[in-house]
Amino acid sequence: MMAYHRYARFAATILVAATHSRGMPSHWSATERHIPLGYTTSFNHVTRPSDWRDTSQLPPPVPVSPGHGAVTTGVYRNLFVEMGRDPVEVRQMLNQVTSQLLYGDPQTEAVLTEVGDGTAYITDIGDHDVRTEGMSYGMIIAVQLDNSTLFEMLWSWAKLHMRHNDPSDPRYGYFAWHCSTSGSSMDPNPASDGETYFATALFMAASRWNSTEYATEANTILACATNKTGIQSVTRMFSNSTGVASAPAQVVFVPYASSAAFTDPSYHLPSFYGLWQRMAPGAEAAFWGDMVTSSRQYFRLAATSSPAGVMPDYSTFDGRPTGSGRNFAFDAWRVAMNVAMDYAWNAADTWQVDYCNGLLEFFKAQNTTAPYANQYSLPDLRPLSHDHSPGMVAMNAVCALASNQSVAWDFVDELWNTPTPTGHWRYYDGMLFMLGWLHVTGTFQAHSTPVAPTPPSPSPPNPPPSPPNPSPPPPSPPSTAVEFQRNGRCLNNGAHEATLGGCYERGNNSANLWISNGSVDPVLSVASSLGVVDSTCAEGGKLLMAKISGKLAGAVAWNAVQSQLVLLGCPSDLCVGDAGTLAVMACSDQRSSGWTQKSLVSANPGVVPEKRSYRV
């Protein structure tokens, strides 16, 4: 089989405005290069930007690393705050970065696309496709932002379009790394970085939101990754027979044919393997512990690829550059993040401090007449490009978490002053940019508390026998909301959807919605921008949908099985648009079309519910 070469990446040139700005300067040119704000051309010392909150709040001489990792202490460092930035401003900047890349202008800013079936995907804008790399990054970003709705939308798309679900397929349980935006497979093979981030994101979601379902899904991925037997050249994702005495267990580049015979330094994530060790069943914990040790040792081997410790994109299991990834390029940017995250979380290997110090000193030395390049030949470290990329800036800033030298502040401040990626090649740079901001602000955390099992509900006592010929119950008292719906018509200027059996009322900043008891089967009438919606409900539940025009902060729908009103949160900023229609659905299951059930309000069957108002 030919070597499995995943893809080529392109990175946009960073241009930083003369004044502090999050957007691209108006004089942008593909050939220009500029020195970031706050630096001399020799990159020797960070200067105080004019917008610092207090002239006395200069960075400390050197970063002060804690003696124990954040997994033990629960303290995740915010390097911007350590430098003297205002914590409120830092949070605002983080929100601006993630909001722009997820929900910004779809033509020039966002990488997220929401689909009408309640799913969503992360688009490689430049190549107009979808990759497990971006999908799994998006899921882990959603966990760190505590956005369960986004997480479920991405995970649902990945399961539907990327996962191999046929038990007779040798790739069963793996994910096709490369799909079209319509969901068709463009390459059936998995890529180990996607599977690694999928499993970790699911474990984190299980811990953060106490979901046994997500924990089960994560363990299923890991069971698949460790139990393939080579049928039709589909192998295990983790080789425990590398032949390297100090690093016997390693992640492979692709668990398929000859691509399983080497590795990718940026796929080694000992911090994640340690999380798996804490979350996985006891019988598998020992193996993940071995993976932690092996990957830490592997980093030492791969760092010998160059005098500065700069690692290649691909290597043999003993760390030697190999194949088409012999040089430092786009994959290898992420090694800085992987090494520093392991130290920040666990503080178990002081070699990682020396590595980050040396790596940052190398790039500082490269920053002479222009910012350092984004690709270098190995082992001679000759620049192979003239671009300075925001994704790489973000990765080097994360390396500051494991540095105890003043050089770290240069890279942290460069991240602060780097515009959020926009344009045609914003996908890869943008995903790494979000990850970098989450790490450097202390927002990217190791959610790894094992999920508590749900205790069984106690059996109710046997009810007393019903008396013969019971009297009919008295009629329910009328609701106060009856005055808003009478004889099939909505009053007080409300609008009416006869097929839904409900009324709603529009105001300048609110939307009030009434849904009847669900006796009328609704007709699916979905806004064209949302596409086709599956009308099937689990457990025999009845689907109710409200079509709302204008602004809406939330919606109420009737759950016919449980005789309850369900308060649904908005799935996206579509809910607060100034025009158009929005379809809101509810089923009897906990998750309906990607929207998470927020709370329940009891109501009596057969009674028009009480008026509820939800303000934007």
Side-chain angles (χ1 to χ4, degrees):
M1 300 296 293
M2 69 173 60
Y4 177 60
H5 187 73
R6 289 177 57 207
Y7 45 81
R9 294 193 180 109
F10 300 87
T13 300
I14 288 182
L15 299 173
V16 181
T19 57
H20 182 70
S21 171
R22 298 305 304 170
M24 282 291 187
S26 60
H27 58 275
W28 185 89
S29 165
T31 60
E32 289 183 291
R33 299 173 69 193
H34 294 266
I35 302 301
L37 174 70
Y39 302 95
T40 64
T41 55
S42 61
F43 206 58
N44 285 330
H45 191 272
V46 63
T47 60
R48 180 180 58 80
S50 60
D51 63 341
W52 273 25
R53 57 181 176 146
D54 187 338
T55 57
S56 66
Q57 294 293 314
L58 292 174
V62 296
V64 179
S65 300
H68 300 281
V71 170
T72 299
T73 65
V75 177
Y76 292 82
R77 299 168 63 201
N78 187 326
L79 296 183
F80 291 131
V81 173
E82 288 184 24
M83 288 187 68
R85 294 282 180 186
D86 184 341
V88 175
E89 183 185 17
V90 171
R91 172 54 61 178
Q92 291 172 344
M93 293 287 279
L94 173 62
N95 290 342
Q96 185 174 342
V97 167
T98 56
S99 295
Q100 176 176 315
L101 284 163
L102 293 174
Y103 303 112
D105 185 332
Q107 300 302 315
T108 61
E109 296 178 332
V111 296
L112 175 70
T113 300
E114 297 186 19
V115 186
D117 61 358
T119 66
Y121 56 84
I122 300 292
T123 312
D124 182 331
I125 306 298
D127 292 309
H128 196 61
D129 55 26
V130 184
R131 299 153 189 243
T132 53
E133 168 193 76
M135 293 294 289
S136 58
Y137 284 5
M139 286 169 57
I140 213 162
I141 288 167
V143 177
Q144 301 303 334
L145 296 176
D146 198 18
N147 190 335
S148 59
T149 299
L150 174 59
F151 182 93
E152 181 63 23
M153 294 173 78
L154 292 169
W155 179 229
S156 296
W157 200 96
K159 288 190 295 182
L160 179 63
H161 298 293
M162 307 183 99
R163 188 169 66 182
H164 292 285
N165 294 314
D166 181 0
S168 66
D169 186 343
R171 297 177 179 83
Y172 176 64
Y174 277 149
F175 293 73
W177 79 270
H178 193 195
C179 290
S180 69
T181 55
S182 64
S184 60
S185 175
M186 299 174 70
D187 189 322
N189 288 314
S192 299
D193 58 342
E195 255 73 355
T196 297
Y197 267 82
F198 274 141
T200 306
L202 286 162
F203 273 137
M204 288 179 169
S207 175
R208 184 153 205 180
W209 302 317
N210 196 35
S211 168
T212 56
E213 175 187 347
Y214 288 148
T216 299
E217 297 270 24
N219 281 312
T220 298
I221 292 174
L222 297 187
C224 169
T226 55
N227 287 293
K228 294 298 182 184
T229 58
I231 296 175
Q232 296 184 21
S233 299
V234 179
T235 71
R236 293 162 50 102
M237 200 171 88
F238 300 96
S239 173
N240 57 359
S241 56
T242 63
V244 181
S246 62
Q250 294 186 37
V251 62
V252 304
F253 178 58
V254 172
Y256 180 75
S258 61
S259 292
F262 62 98
T263 189
D264 181 324
S266 73
Y267 289 8
H268 285 253
L269 284 149
S271 54
F272 286 2
Y273 309 146
L275 185 148
W276 299 353
Q277 185 180 18
R278 294 187 293 275
M279 296 286 287
E284 301 173 8
F287 175 72
W288 301 126
D290 292 341
M291 284 291 300
V292 171
T293 302
S294 285
S295 279
R296 287 173 182 162
Q297 292 300 314
Y298 165 80
F299 282 144
R300 295 175 184 237
L301 298 172
T304 63
S305 300
S306 70
V310 177
M311 300 186 200
D313 273 6
Y314 311 150
S315 86
T316 59
F317 291 125
D318 59 0
R320 292 175 289 117
T322 191
S324 60
R326 305 182 67 85
N327 296 315
F328 173 87
F330 307 109
D331 269 23
W333 297 352
R334 301 176 294 190
V335 175
M337 173 178 66
N338 297 357
V339 171
M341 174 167 47
D342 187 35
Y343 187 79
W345 284 12
N346 301 298
D349 187 355
T350 57
W351 174 88
Q352 295 168 337
V353 176
D354 295 334
Y355 169 79
C356 279
N357 286 338
L359 188 75
L360 298 183
E361 287 288 357
F362 166 74
F363 287 117
K364 169 185 172 181
Q366 295 295 305
N367 206 84
T368 52
T369 59
Y372 55 85
N374 64 8
Q375 299 173 70
Y376 289 87
S377 63
L378 298 180
D380 58 347
L381 296 174
R382 176 173 47 88
L384 298 176
S385 77
H386 297 289
D387 290 338
H388 187 61
S389 300
M392 185 178 173
V393 168
M395 297 296 92
N396 284 346
V398 178
C399 213
L401 285 167
S403 174
N404 58 7
Q405 301 295 319
S406 59
V407 65
W409 299 129
D410 292 316
F411 294 87
V412 174
D413 203 52
E414 185 183 19
L415 177 61
W416 180 269
N417 288 294
T418 297
T420 303
T422 59
H424 193 61
W425 301 111
R426 65 186 180 272
Y427 157 70
Y428 187 61
D429 278 319
M431 299 307 291
L432 296 189
F433 202 75
M434 283 192 284
L435 291 173
W437 266 85
L438 289 168
H439 280 290
V440 172
T441 58
T443 309
F444 197 105
Q445 301 184 5
H447 299 285
S448 54
T449 303
V451 180
T454 303
S457 301
S459 300
N462 293 328
S466 300
N469 300 320
S471 301
S476 300
S479 165
T480 57
V482 167
E483 292 303 311
F484 294 92
Q485 177 177 316
R486 182 186 300 160
N487 297 327
R489 300 184 63 185
C490 295
L491 307 180
N492 293 351
N493 297 320
H496 182 55
E497 287 286 349
T499 58
L500 299 179
C503 296
Y504 63 89
E505 175 185 78
R506 293 195 301 273
N508 290 332
N509 294 307
S510 65
N512 303 325
L513 171 67
W514 297 266
I515 295 292
S516 69
N517 61 13
S519 61
V520 179
D521 289 330
V523 175
L524 272 176
S525 176
V526 183
S528 59
S529 62
L530 296 178
V532 179
V533 175
D534 184 0
S535 61
T536 303
C537 281
E539 304 170 2
K542 181 170 296 205
L543 177 74
L544 267 183
M545 184 180 68
K547 189 170 71 174
I548 311 300
S549 296
K551 295 186 176 182
L552 180 68
V556 177
W558 183 258
N559 182 326
V561 171
Q562 299 178 357
S563 298
Q564 291 173 316
L565 287 173
V566 180
L567 173 60
L568 296 177
C570 286
S572 72
D573 58 352
L574 290 174
C575 292
V576 294
D578 291 328
T581 57
L582 170 70
V584 179
M585 297 179 299
C587 287
S588 59
D589 53 348
Q590 289 294 311
R591 292 182 178 85
S592 173
S593 300
W595 298 325
T596 303
Q597 182 172 300
K598 298 297 184 184
S599 63
L600 296 175
V601 181
S602 297
N604 295 323
V607 177
V608 177
E610 181 182 354
K611 172 183 173 182
R612 303 269 175 182
S613 178
Y614 303 95
R615 298 190 67 82
V616 175

